mmCIF file of all heavy atoms in Angstrom:
data_model
loop_
_atom_site.group_PDB
_atom_site.id
_atom_site.type_symbol
_atom_site.label_atom_id
_atom_site.label_comp_id
_atom_site.label_asym_id
_atom_site.label_seq_id
_atom_site.Cartn_x
_atom_site.Cartn_y
_atom_site.Cartn_z
ATOM 1 N N MET C 1 0.727 -164.178 -241.330
ATOM 2 C CA MET C 1 -0.132 -163.010 -241.568
ATOM 3 C C MET C 1 0.438 -161.776 -240.847
ATOM 4 O O MET C 1 0.258 -161.614 -239.637
ATOM 5 C CB MET C 1 -1.539 -163.300 -241.050
ATOM 6 C CG MET C 1 -2.224 -164.395 -241.863
ATOM 7 S SD MET C 1 -3.986 -164.321 -241.609
ATOM 8 C CE MET C 1 -4.505 -165.690 -242.621
ATOM 9 N N PRO C 2 1.137 -160.928 -241.551
ATOM 10 C CA PRO C 2 1.802 -159.759 -240.950
ATOM 11 C C PRO C 2 0.844 -158.828 -240.217
ATOM 12 O O PRO C 2 1.183 -158.271 -239.205
ATOM 13 C CB PRO C 2 2.442 -159.036 -242.138
ATOM 14 C CG PRO C 2 2.177 -159.843 -243.337
ATOM 15 C CD PRO C 2 1.332 -161.013 -242.991
ATOM 16 N N GLU C 3 -0.335 -158.664 -240.724
ATOM 17 C CA GLU C 3 -1.286 -157.739 -240.096
ATOM 18 C C GLU C 3 -1.638 -158.198 -238.692
ATOM 19 O O GLU C 3 -1.739 -157.409 -237.770
ATOM 20 C CB GLU C 3 -2.554 -157.640 -240.941
ATOM 21 C CG GLU C 3 -2.453 -156.502 -241.956
ATOM 22 C CD GLU C 3 -3.698 -156.384 -242.799
ATOM 23 O OE1 GLU C 3 -4.788 -156.547 -242.243
ATOM 24 O OE2 GLU C 3 -3.565 -156.150 -244.009
ATOM 25 N N GLU C 4 -1.827 -159.496 -238.548
ATOM 26 C CA GLU C 4 -2.190 -160.027 -237.240
ATOM 27 C C GLU C 4 -1.061 -159.827 -236.242
ATOM 28 O O GLU C 4 -1.287 -159.468 -235.098
ATOM 29 C CB GLU C 4 -2.494 -161.528 -237.357
ATOM 30 C CG GLU C 4 -3.987 -161.769 -237.536
ATOM 31 C CD GLU C 4 -4.333 -163.227 -237.520
ATOM 32 O OE1 GLU C 4 -3.665 -163.999 -236.812
ATOM 33 O OE2 GLU C 4 -5.268 -163.619 -238.239
ATOM 34 N N ILE C 5 0.165 -160.035 -236.702
ATOM 35 C CA ILE C 5 1.329 -159.863 -235.835
ATOM 36 C C ILE C 5 1.422 -158.406 -235.385
ATOM 37 O O ILE C 5 1.622 -158.115 -234.225
ATOM 38 C CB ILE C 5 2.628 -160.299 -236.568
ATOM 39 C CG1 ILE C 5 2.599 -161.810 -236.756
ATOM 40 C CG2 ILE C 5 3.862 -159.879 -235.765
ATOM 41 C CD1 ILE C 5 3.613 -162.331 -237.756
ATOM 42 N N MET C 6 1.243 -157.489 -236.315
ATOM 43 C CA MET C 6 1.311 -156.070 -235.978
ATOM 44 C C MET C 6 0.254 -155.704 -234.949
ATOM 45 O O MET C 6 0.517 -154.981 -234.002
ATOM 46 C CB MET C 6 1.114 -155.225 -237.244
ATOM 47 C CG MET C 6 2.407 -155.026 -238.012
ATOM 48 S SD MET C 6 2.148 -154.069 -239.500
ATOM 49 C CE MET C 6 1.735 -152.476 -238.791
ATOM 50 N N GLU C 7 -0.934 -156.223 -235.135
ATOM 51 C CA GLU C 7 -2.014 -155.944 -234.194
ATOM 52 C C GLU C 7 -1.641 -156.438 -232.803
ATOM 53 O O GLU C 7 -1.845 -155.771 -231.815
ATOM 54 C CB GLU C 7 -3.280 -156.667 -234.656
ATOM 55 C CG GLU C 7 -4.409 -155.697 -234.984
ATOM 56 C CD GLU C 7 -5.606 -156.428 -235.517
ATOM 57 O OE1 GLU C 7 -6.295 -157.059 -234.708
ATOM 58 O OE2 GLU C 7 -5.834 -156.389 -236.737
ATOM 59 N N ASN C 8 -1.056 -157.628 -232.785
ATOM 60 C CA ASN C 8 -0.653 -158.229 -231.524
ATOM 61 C C ASN C 8 0.417 -157.390 -230.831
ATOM 62 O O ASN C 8 0.359 -157.159 -229.628
ATOM 63 C CB ASN C 8 -0.105 -159.632 -231.801
ATOM 64 C CG ASN C 8 -0.781 -160.657 -230.909
ATOM 65 O OD1 ASN C 8 -1.223 -160.323 -229.817
ATOM 66 N ND2 ASN C 8 -0.856 -161.874 -231.364
ATOM 67 N N GLU C 9 1.376 -156.928 -231.595
ATOM 68 C CA GLU C 9 2.451 -156.113 -231.029
ATOM 69 C C GLU C 9 1.896 -154.814 -230.476
ATOM 70 O O GLU C 9 2.294 -154.355 -229.422
ATOM 71 C CB GLU C 9 3.519 -155.828 -232.093
ATOM 72 C CG GLU C 9 4.382 -157.036 -232.404
ATOM 73 C CD GLU C 9 5.064 -157.599 -231.173
ATOM 74 O OE1 GLU C 9 5.729 -156.829 -230.470
ATOM 75 O OE2 GLU C 9 4.922 -158.805 -230.911
ATOM 76 N N GLY C 10 0.982 -154.214 -231.183
ATOM 77 C CA GLY C 10 0.372 -152.978 -230.713
ATOM 78 C C GLY C 10 -0.362 -153.197 -229.413
ATOM 79 O O GLY C 10 -0.319 -152.368 -228.507
ATOM 80 N N GLU C 11 -1.021 -154.315 -229.327
ATOM 81 C CA GLU C 11 -1.763 -154.657 -228.120
ATOM 82 C C GLU C 11 -0.804 -154.805 -226.938
ATOM 83 O O GLU C 11 -1.045 -154.279 -225.858
ATOM 84 C CB GLU C 11 -2.500 -155.969 -228.365
ATOM 85 C CG GLU C 11 -3.590 -156.238 -227.353
ATOM 86 C CD GLU C 11 -4.447 -157.411 -227.778
ATOM 87 O OE1 GLU C 11 -5.245 -157.251 -228.731
ATOM 88 O OE2 GLU C 11 -4.311 -158.474 -227.189
ATOM 89 N N LYS C 12 0.309 -155.503 -227.174
ATOM 90 C CA LYS C 12 1.300 -155.700 -226.121
ATOM 91 C C LYS C 12 1.848 -154.361 -225.647
ATOM 92 O O LYS C 12 2.069 -154.142 -224.460
ATOM 93 C CB LYS C 12 2.464 -156.560 -226.650
ATOM 94 C CG LYS C 12 2.238 -158.043 -226.466
ATOM 95 C CD LYS C 12 3.525 -158.773 -226.850
ATOM 96 C CE LYS C 12 3.245 -160.172 -227.359
ATOM 97 N NZ LYS C 12 4.421 -160.715 -228.065
ATOM 98 N N GLU C 13 2.099 -153.460 -226.592
ATOM 99 C CA GLU C 13 2.632 -152.145 -226.249
ATOM 100 C C GLU C 13 1.662 -151.400 -225.341
ATOM 101 O O GLU C 13 2.048 -150.794 -224.358
ATOM 102 C CB GLU C 13 2.894 -151.332 -227.518
ATOM 103 C CG GLU C 13 4.309 -151.469 -228.049
ATOM 104 C CD GLU C 13 5.370 -151.256 -226.991
ATOM 105 O OE1 GLU C 13 5.345 -150.205 -226.331
ATOM 106 O OE2 GLU C 13 6.209 -152.141 -226.794
ATOM 107 N N LEU C 14 0.390 -151.449 -225.687
ATOM 108 C CA LEU C 14 -0.627 -150.770 -224.884
ATOM 109 C C LEU C 14 -0.656 -151.341 -223.473
ATOM 110 O O LEU C 14 -0.690 -150.602 -222.490
ATOM 111 C CB LEU C 14 -2.006 -150.925 -225.541
ATOM 112 C CG LEU C 14 -2.256 -150.087 -226.793
ATOM 113 C CD1 LEU C 14 -3.616 -150.435 -227.387
ATOM 114 C CD2 LEU C 14 -2.205 -148.604 -226.477
ATOM 115 N N ILE C 15 -0.616 -152.664 -223.391
ATOM 116 C CA ILE C 15 -0.662 -153.324 -222.091
ATOM 117 C C ILE C 15 0.547 -152.925 -221.260
ATOM 118 O O ILE C 15 0.445 -152.647 -220.079
ATOM 119 C CB ILE C 15 -0.743 -154.856 -222.277
ATOM 120 C CG1 ILE C 15 -2.060 -155.227 -222.951
ATOM 121 C CG2 ILE C 15 -0.620 -155.566 -220.929
ATOM 122 C CD1 ILE C 15 -2.069 -156.619 -223.561
ATOM 123 N N LYS C 16 1.703 -152.863 -221.913
ATOM 124 C CA LYS C 16 2.932 -152.448 -221.228
ATOM 125 C C LYS C 16 2.783 -151.047 -220.658
ATOM 126 O O LYS C 16 3.325 -150.712 -219.607
ATOM 127 C CB LYS C 16 4.101 -152.441 -222.236
ATOM 128 C CG LYS C 16 5.038 -153.631 -222.074
ATOM 129 C CD LYS C 16 6.322 -153.343 -222.847
ATOM 130 C CE LYS C 16 6.562 -154.375 -223.929
ATOM 131 N NZ LYS C 16 7.640 -153.966 -224.851
ATOM 132 N N GLN C 17 2.064 -150.223 -221.383
ATOM 133 C CA GLN C 17 1.879 -148.840 -220.948
ATOM 134 C C GLN C 17 0.712 -148.706 -219.970
ATOM 135 O O GLN C 17 0.376 -147.604 -219.529
ATOM 136 C CB GLN C 17 1.627 -147.952 -222.176
ATOM 137 C CG GLN C 17 2.853 -147.805 -223.053
ATOM 138 C CD GLN C 17 2.508 -147.209 -224.422
ATOM 139 O OE1 GLN C 17 1.615 -146.403 -224.546
ATOM 140 N NE2 GLN C 17 3.205 -147.639 -225.448
ATOM 141 N N GLY C 18 0.079 -149.826 -219.664
ATOM 142 C CA GLY C 18 -1.020 -149.789 -218.710
ATOM 143 C C GLY C 18 -2.313 -149.290 -219.314
ATOM 144 O O GLY C 18 -3.146 -148.710 -218.644
ATOM 145 N N ILE C 19 -2.469 -149.552 -220.625
ATOM 146 C CA ILE C 19 -3.672 -149.097 -221.310
ATOM 147 C C ILE C 19 -4.432 -150.302 -221.859
ATOM 148 O O ILE C 19 -3.843 -151.205 -222.444
ATOM 149 C CB ILE C 19 -3.302 -148.130 -222.452
ATOM 150 C CG1 ILE C 19 -2.608 -146.882 -221.878
ATOM 151 C CG2 ILE C 19 -4.535 -147.742 -223.256
ATOM 152 C CD1 ILE C 19 -1.909 -146.056 -222.930
ATOM 153 N N CYS C 20 -5.723 -150.316 -221.649
ATOM 154 C CA CYS C 20 -6.551 -151.415 -222.143
ATOM 155 C C CYS C 20 -6.551 -151.430 -223.669
ATOM 156 O O CYS C 20 -6.837 -150.419 -224.300
ATOM 157 C CB CYS C 20 -7.979 -151.236 -221.625
ATOM 158 S SG CYS C 20 -9.117 -152.450 -222.306
ATOM 159 N N PRO C 21 -6.235 -152.585 -224.282
ATOM 160 C CA PRO C 21 -6.205 -152.679 -225.736
ATOM 161 C C PRO C 21 -7.596 -152.637 -226.366
ATOM 162 O O PRO C 21 -7.733 -152.452 -227.556
ATOM 163 C CB PRO C 21 -5.530 -154.033 -225.998
ATOM 164 C CG PRO C 21 -5.754 -154.830 -224.764
ATOM 165 C CD PRO C 21 -5.836 -153.842 -223.634
ATOM 166 N N VAL C 22 -8.610 -152.800 -225.547
ATOM 167 C CA VAL C 22 -9.981 -152.809 -226.063
ATOM 168 C C VAL C 22 -10.602 -151.415 -226.021
ATOM 169 O O VAL C 22 -11.074 -150.902 -227.031
ATOM 170 C CB VAL C 22 -10.860 -153.807 -225.278
ATOM 171 C CG1 VAL C 22 -12.298 -153.777 -225.772
ATOM 172 C CG2 VAL C 22 -10.282 -155.221 -225.404
ATOM 173 N N CYS C 23 -10.562 -150.795 -224.830
ATOM 174 C CA CYS C 23 -11.269 -149.519 -224.681
ATOM 175 C C CYS C 23 -10.331 -148.360 -224.361
ATOM 176 O O CYS C 23 -10.772 -147.233 -224.220
ATOM 177 C CB CYS C 23 -12.354 -149.648 -223.619
ATOM 178 S SG CYS C 23 -11.686 -149.858 -221.969
ATOM 179 N N LYS C 24 -9.022 -148.651 -224.237
ATOM 180 C CA LYS C 24 -8.001 -147.615 -223.999
ATOM 181 C C LYS C 24 -8.115 -146.961 -222.627
ATOM 182 O O LYS C 24 -7.570 -145.892 -222.390
ATOM 183 C CB LYS C 24 -8.047 -146.522 -225.092
ATOM 184 C CG LYS C 24 -8.014 -147.056 -226.512
ATOM 185 C CD LYS C 24 -6.632 -147.602 -226.885
ATOM 186 C CE LYS C 24 -6.517 -147.813 -228.381
ATOM 187 N NZ LYS C 24 -7.327 -148.952 -228.848
ATOM 188 N N ALA C 25 -8.816 -147.619 -221.723
ATOM 189 C CA ALA C 25 -8.882 -147.100 -220.361
ATOM 190 C C ALA C 25 -7.650 -147.558 -219.586
ATOM 191 O O ALA C 25 -6.886 -148.399 -220.064
ATOM 192 C CB ALA C 25 -10.154 -147.591 -219.682
ATOM 193 N N LYS C 26 -7.474 -147.004 -218.406
ATOM 194 C CA LYS C 26 -6.331 -147.377 -217.592
ATOM 195 C C LYS C 26 -6.526 -148.774 -217.030
ATOM 196 O O LYS C 26 -7.602 -149.115 -216.537
ATOM 197 C CB LYS C 26 -6.194 -146.377 -216.439
ATOM 198 C CG LYS C 26 -4.901 -145.594 -216.499
ATOM 199 C CD LYS C 26 -4.728 -144.788 -215.221
ATOM 200 C CE LYS C 26 -3.317 -144.236 -215.100
ATOM 201 N NZ LYS C 26 -3.138 -143.518 -213.838
ATOM 202 N N LEU C 27 -5.469 -149.588 -217.081
ATOM 203 C CA LEU C 27 -5.557 -150.938 -216.549
ATOM 204 C C LEU C 27 -5.216 -150.955 -215.074
ATOM 205 O O LEU C 27 -4.440 -150.146 -214.589
ATOM 206 C CB LEU C 27 -4.592 -151.858 -217.304
ATOM 207 C CG LEU C 27 -4.941 -152.123 -218.764
ATOM 208 C CD1 LEU C 27 -3.807 -152.898 -219.427
ATOM 209 C CD2 LEU C 27 -6.235 -152.888 -218.900
ATOM 210 N N ARG C 28 -5.799 -151.923 -214.370
ATOM 211 C CA ARG C 28 -5.519 -152.073 -212.956
ATOM 212 C C ARG C 28 -4.748 -153.363 -212.751
ATOM 213 O O ARG C 28 -5.125 -154.418 -213.282
ATOM 214 C CB ARG C 28 -6.837 -152.129 -212.184
ATOM 215 C CG ARG C 28 -6.646 -151.792 -210.718
ATOM 216 C CD ARG C 28 -7.949 -151.886 -209.984
ATOM 217 N NE ARG C 28 -8.367 -153.283 -209.856
ATOM 218 C CZ ARG C 28 -9.331 -153.701 -209.034
ATOM 219 N NH1 ARG C 28 -10.004 -152.838 -208.329
ATOM 220 N NH2 ARG C 28 -9.652 -154.968 -208.957
ATOM 221 N N HIS C 29 -3.667 -153.291 -212.003
ATOM 222 C CA HIS C 29 -2.863 -154.475 -211.750
ATOM 223 C C HIS C 29 -3.335 -155.164 -210.485
ATOM 224 O O HIS C 29 -3.439 -154.554 -209.435
ATOM 225 C CB HIS C 29 -1.383 -154.089 -211.602
ATOM 226 C CG HIS C 29 -0.771 -153.675 -212.908
ATOM 227 N ND1 HIS C 29 0.178 -154.415 -213.554
ATOM 228 C CD2 HIS C 29 -1.021 -152.604 -213.699
ATOM 229 C CE1 HIS C 29 0.501 -153.799 -214.677
ATOM 230 N NE2 HIS C 29 -0.203 -152.703 -214.797
ATOM 231 N N THR C 30 -3.652 -156.427 -210.614
ATOM 232 C CA THR C 30 -3.995 -157.212 -209.438
ATOM 233 C C THR C 30 -2.945 -158.302 -209.292
ATOM 234 O O THR C 30 -1.968 -158.323 -210.028
ATOM 235 C CB THR C 30 -5.398 -157.830 -209.589
ATOM 236 O OG1 THR C 30 -5.412 -158.623 -210.748
ATOM 237 C CG2 THR C 30 -6.457 -156.747 -209.692
ATOM 238 N N GLU C 31 -3.156 -159.222 -208.404
ATOM 239 C CA GLU C 31 -2.153 -160.253 -208.157
ATOM 240 C C GLU C 31 -1.953 -161.140 -209.391
ATOM 241 O O GLU C 31 -2.781 -161.995 -209.706
ATOM 242 C CB GLU C 31 -2.592 -161.111 -206.976
ATOM 243 C CG GLU C 31 -1.437 -161.410 -206.025
ATOM 244 C CD GLU C 31 -1.930 -162.141 -204.802
ATOM 245 O OE1 GLU C 31 -2.707 -161.563 -204.042
ATOM 246 O OE2 GLU C 31 -1.552 -163.299 -204.658
ATOM 247 N N GLY C 32 -0.845 -160.927 -210.092
ATOM 248 C CA GLY C 32 -0.516 -161.737 -211.257
ATOM 249 C C GLY C 32 -1.364 -161.458 -212.480
ATOM 250 O O GLY C 32 -1.169 -162.062 -213.521
ATOM 251 N N CYS C 33 -2.301 -160.546 -212.350
ATOM 252 C CA CYS C 33 -3.186 -160.253 -213.477
ATOM 253 C C CYS C 33 -3.289 -158.748 -213.715
ATOM 254 O O CYS C 33 -2.979 -157.946 -212.867
ATOM 255 C CB CYS C 33 -4.588 -160.806 -213.213
ATOM 256 S SG CYS C 33 -4.650 -162.588 -213.089
ATOM 257 N N ILE C 34 -3.721 -158.431 -214.918
ATOM 258 C CA ILE C 34 -4.008 -157.047 -215.255
ATOM 259 C C ILE C 34 -5.463 -157.022 -215.693
ATOM 260 O O ILE C 34 -5.890 -157.881 -216.459
ATOM 261 C CB ILE C 34 -3.130 -156.567 -216.427
ATOM 262 C CG1 ILE C 34 -1.668 -156.964 -216.213
ATOM 263 C CG2 ILE C 34 -3.233 -155.065 -216.600
ATOM 264 C CD1 ILE C 34 -0.856 -156.822 -217.495
ATOM 265 N N GLU C 35 -6.210 -156.074 -215.220
ATOM 266 C CA GLU C 35 -7.597 -156.034 -215.648
ATOM 267 C C GLU C 35 -8.063 -154.619 -215.908
ATOM 268 O O GLU C 35 -7.539 -153.654 -215.353
ATOM 269 C CB GLU C 35 -8.488 -156.728 -214.629
ATOM 270 C CG GLU C 35 -8.522 -156.019 -213.284
ATOM 271 C CD GLU C 35 -9.476 -156.698 -212.311
ATOM 272 O OE1 GLU C 35 -9.684 -157.910 -212.398
ATOM 273 O OE2 GLU C 35 -10.005 -155.965 -211.448
ATOM 274 N N CYS C 36 -9.045 -154.534 -216.770
ATOM 275 C CA CYS C 36 -9.642 -153.254 -217.085
ATOM 276 C C CYS C 36 -10.966 -153.172 -216.348
ATOM 277 O O CYS C 36 -11.835 -154.018 -216.534
ATOM 278 C CB CYS C 36 -9.860 -153.141 -218.594
ATOM 279 S SG CYS C 36 -10.731 -151.642 -219.056
ATOM 280 N N THR C 37 -11.088 -152.150 -215.508
ATOM 281 C CA THR C 37 -12.323 -152.018 -214.745
ATOM 282 C C THR C 37 -13.425 -151.414 -215.602
ATOM 283 O O THR C 37 -14.582 -151.426 -215.235
ATOM 284 C CB THR C 37 -12.097 -151.135 -213.503
ATOM 285 O OG1 THR C 37 -11.464 -149.943 -213.903
ATOM 286 C CG2 THR C 37 -11.216 -151.848 -212.485
ATOM 287 N N ASN C 38 -13.044 -150.897 -216.748
ATOM 288 C CA ASN C 38 -14.012 -150.236 -217.619
ATOM 289 C C ASN C 38 -14.790 -151.235 -218.468
ATOM 290 O O ASN C 38 -16.012 -151.185 -218.534
ATOM 291 C CB ASN C 38 -13.281 -149.228 -218.508
ATOM 292 C CG ASN C 38 -14.242 -148.319 -219.240
ATOM 293 O OD1 ASN C 38 -15.146 -147.753 -218.632
ATOM 294 N ND2 ASN C 38 -14.066 -148.205 -220.529
ATOM 295 N N CYS C 39 -14.085 -152.172 -219.137
ATOM 296 C CA CYS C 39 -14.770 -153.097 -220.035
ATOM 297 C C CYS C 39 -14.679 -154.544 -219.598
ATOM 298 O O CYS C 39 -15.285 -155.422 -220.189
ATOM 299 C CB CYS C 39 -14.213 -152.948 -221.468
ATOM 300 S SG CYS C 39 -12.557 -153.643 -221.674
ATOM 301 N N GLY C 40 -13.878 -154.799 -218.535
ATOM 302 C CA GLY C 40 -13.822 -156.163 -218.027
ATOM 303 C C GLY C 40 -12.737 -157.025 -218.673
ATOM 304 O O GLY C 40 -12.588 -158.188 -218.353
ATOM 305 N N TRP C 41 -11.971 -156.435 -219.566
ATOM 306 C CA TRP C 41 -10.860 -157.174 -220.190
ATOM 307 C C TRP C 41 -9.836 -157.508 -219.117
ATOM 308 O O TRP C 41 -9.592 -156.742 -218.205
ATOM 309 C CB TRP C 41 -10.233 -156.285 -221.263
ATOM 310 C CG TRP C 41 -9.039 -156.892 -221.945
ATOM 311 C CD1 TRP C 41 -9.032 -157.625 -223.085
ATOM 312 C CD2 TRP C 41 -7.676 -156.803 -221.512
ATOM 313 N NE1 TRP C 41 -7.743 -157.996 -223.371
ATOM 314 C CE2 TRP C 41 -6.895 -157.516 -222.429
ATOM 315 C CE3 TRP C 41 -7.036 -156.199 -220.423
ATOM 316 C CZ2 TRP C 41 -5.516 -157.631 -222.325
ATOM 317 C CZ3 TRP C 41 -5.662 -156.315 -220.295
ATOM 318 C CH2 TRP C 41 -4.917 -157.030 -221.246
ATOM 319 N N SER C 42 -9.242 -158.700 -219.213
ATOM 320 C CA SER C 42 -8.218 -159.046 -218.240
ATOM 321 C C SER C 42 -7.207 -160.001 -218.841
ATOM 322 O O SER C 42 -7.471 -160.733 -219.798
ATOM 323 C CB SER C 42 -8.848 -159.656 -216.989
ATOM 324 O OG SER C 42 -9.337 -160.939 -217.264
ATOM 325 N N LEU C 43 -6.013 -159.963 -218.245
ATOM 326 C CA LEU C 43 -4.936 -160.824 -218.712
ATOM 327 C C LEU C 43 -4.139 -161.273 -217.506
ATOM 328 O O LEU C 43 -3.742 -160.465 -216.677
ATOM 329 C CB LEU C 43 -4.027 -160.047 -219.668
ATOM 330 C CG LEU C 43 -2.810 -160.809 -220.189
ATOM 331 C CD1 LEU C 43 -3.218 -161.813 -221.264
ATOM 332 C CD2 LEU C 43 -1.792 -159.849 -220.765
ATOM 333 N N CYS C 44 -3.948 -162.574 -217.401
ATOM 334 C CA CYS C 44 -3.161 -163.089 -216.292
ATOM 335 C C CYS C 44 -1.814 -163.543 -216.828
ATOM 336 O O CYS C 44 -1.736 -164.303 -217.784
ATOM 337 C CB CYS C 44 -3.903 -164.245 -215.622
ATOM 338 S SG CYS C 44 -5.311 -163.672 -214.671
ATOM 339 N N LEU C 45 -0.766 -163.037 -216.195
ATOM 340 C CA LEU C 45 0.580 -163.394 -216.616
ATOM 341 C C LEU C 45 1.060 -164.589 -215.818
ATOM 342 O O LEU C 45 0.888 -164.634 -214.621
ATOM 343 C CB LEU C 45 1.507 -162.202 -216.380
ATOM 344 C CG LEU C 45 1.052 -160.896 -217.008
ATOM 345 C CD1 LEU C 45 1.853 -159.743 -216.437
ATOM 346 C CD2 LEU C 45 1.177 -160.928 -218.513
ATOM 347 N N GLU C 46 1.663 -165.508 -216.530
ATOM 348 C CA GLU C 46 2.173 -166.698 -215.856
ATOM 349 C C GLU C 46 3.658 -166.562 -215.620
ATOM 350 O O GLU C 46 4.369 -165.953 -216.403
ATOM 351 C CB GLU C 46 1.866 -167.931 -216.690
ATOM 352 C CG GLU C 46 0.386 -168.274 -216.582
ATOM 353 C CD GLU C 46 0.051 -169.545 -217.320
ATOM 354 O OE1 GLU C 46 0.828 -170.500 -217.235
ATOM 355 O OE2 GLU C 46 -0.989 -169.579 -217.993
ATOM 356 N N ALA C 47 4.103 -167.134 -214.532
ATOM 357 C CA ALA C 47 5.508 -167.103 -214.092
ATOM 358 C C ALA C 47 5.903 -165.686 -213.769
ATOM 359 O O ALA C 47 6.515 -164.973 -214.451
ATOM 360 C CB ALA C 47 6.452 -167.717 -215.124
HETATM 361 ZN ZN1 ZN Y 101 -11.094 -151.914 -221.302
#
């Protein structure tokens, strides 16, 4: 499903830029994780 892949890539790009993919607020980096203080979205990176 190409649309899903594109959405995923866009999300990754936003995260790379430090922007929440949900609400577009600035992300906060914590130990091994990235979180959005605005909407509560978070992502923990492994390794
Ligand atoms: Zn957010």
Side-chain angles (χ1 to χ4, degrees):
M1 293 199 181
E3 269 180 40
E4 265 186 33
I5 291 165
M6 275 179 68
E7 242 176 75
N8 231 332
E9 286 303 307
E11 196 170 287
K12 271 188 208 164
E13 267 310 306
L14 286 175
I15 295 162
K16 256 195 240 169
Q17 291 166 33
I19 298 166
C20 174
V22 178
C23 68
K24 309 288 194 289
K26 243 189 167 183
L27 292 173
R28 200 181 71 166
H29 289 249
T30 58
E31 223 174 296
C33 296
I34 313 166
E35 65 177 29
C36 175
T37 50
N38 191 49
C39 73
W41 177 92
S42 71
L43 177 76
C44 287
L45 306 166
E46 286 184 42

